[in-house]
Amino acid sequence: MAAVLDWIDPTFHATEVVLTALVLLVLTASVLRASPAGMRERIRTKGLAAAFRRSAATNTLAALIALEAVLVGPGLDLADLGLRPVTVSDVLVALGLPAAAAGTAAILAIRSGGIDPDEDPLSFLRPATPAERRWAAVGAIAAGTGEEIVFRGLFIAAGTGVLGLPVWAAAVLAAVLFGLGHRYQGVRGIVTTGGAAVVFTALYALTGNLIVPIALHITVDLVSLLLVPSLLARNTPPAADGADTAKAETA
C-alpha cells in the first residue's frame, strides 16, 4: 500500500496543523456525546430525523474544515486528500461497485426471510417515517462524502505529514479512528465500521481517487438505512394478534 499511495507527500505548516486539530476536535466532541445509551435516549426524546440532521451537519462541517486546510494552507493540495482528476475507469468502478453492493444486499435481505427487531443491533437507526427517510438519505450522503474526505483524505495525509508515519501506518490509524467514531453503535459497530474502513482504504489505494470509496460509502449507508430495512419489513410475517393466539392455544 505504501507504494500505491506514493502520491501522498504533504507538507503541514502551522495553518494546516491547526485546522486538522480543529477537525479532530469537532469529531471527538461528537463521539464523546454519542455513547450507545446516550444516542438511543436522544433519539427517543428528540427524534431520529434530528439525529440524522446533527450527523449531516457534523460531517459537513468537518469536511469543510478539511478543505479549508487545502485552500488556505501552502503545503497541501487537493491531491494530498485524494481529490484528483477523475478518469473513465474511476467512473466505471464508482458506478459498478455500489450497484453490485446494493444488489447483493437486496438479495441477501430477501433470502433472509425477515429479522426480529430485537436482534437488529441498528434497529434504533432504522427510519420509519417519510421525514426520517429523507434525513437518513441526507445523512448517508453527508457521511459518505465527509467521512472519506476526513478519514481517508485528511487523516492519512496528516499521519504522514504531521506524525511522520509511513503511509500504511497512517492508513491503519485513520481506519482505527473511523471505527471509534462509530462508538454509538457499540463494540460490534466499531469492529464492523473499522472493517469497512479497510475496504474503503484499499479502494482509495488502488484507484488513487476518493471518488470510488465515496460512492461505495454512500451506497452502503443508503442500503443499510433505507433499502435493507424496507425489504426485511416486507419479508417479516406479521405478529399474530390476541385472537389468533387464543385460537392457536385452544387448538
Side-chain angles (χ1 to χ4, degrees), residues 10 56 87-88 109 124 128 157 160 179 203 213:
T87 65
V88 174
F124 67 102
T160 61
L203 290 174

Side-chain angles (χ1 to χ4, degrees), residues 56-236:
T58 299
N59 284 313
T60 301
L61 175 61
L64 289 176
I65 298 173
L67 294 175
E68 184 71 9
V70 173
L71 294 175
V72 304
L76 285 180
D77 57 34
L78 291 175
D80 290 320
L81 270 61
L83 300 173
R84 311 174 81 199
V86 178
T87 65
V88 174
S89 61
D90 291 334
V91 174
L92 293 176
V93 176
L95 293 175
L97 271 181
T104 301
I107 292 172
L108 292 176
I110 292 171
R111 290 184 175 181
S112 70
I115 186 172
D116 186 343
D118 293 334
E119 298 177 357
D120 181 2
L122 297 181
S123 60
F124 67 102
L125 291 176
R126 307 299 190 193
T129 68
E132 289 176 350
R133 293 187 185 97
R134 286 194 297 271
W135 281 108
V138 172
I141 294 170
T145 305
E147 289 179 349
E148 292 309 308
I149 290 174
V150 169
F151 287 94
R152 247 61 63 196
L154 180 64
F155 284 176
I156 291 179
T160 61
V162 178
L163 302 180
L165 298 173
V167 68
W168 66 265
V172 170
L173 177 60
V176 170
L177 292 175
F178 181 77
L180 293 175
H182 294 77
R183 169 175 172 255
Y184 65 92
Q185 295 183 18
V187 175
R188 180 176 176 180
I190 291 174
V191 174
T192 300
T193 53
V198 173
V199 175
F200 297 145
T201 304
L203 290 174
Y204 176 33
L206 291 172
T207 63
N209 201 310
L210 278 185
I211 185 64
V212 174
I214 285 174
L216 183 59
H217 192 155
I218 291 173
T219 301
V220 167
D221 285 358
L222 287 174
V223 167
S224 175
L225 292 172
L226 299 176
L227 177 60
V228 170
S230 175
L231 293 173
L232 290 176
R234 293 179 184 179
N235 289 338
T236 303

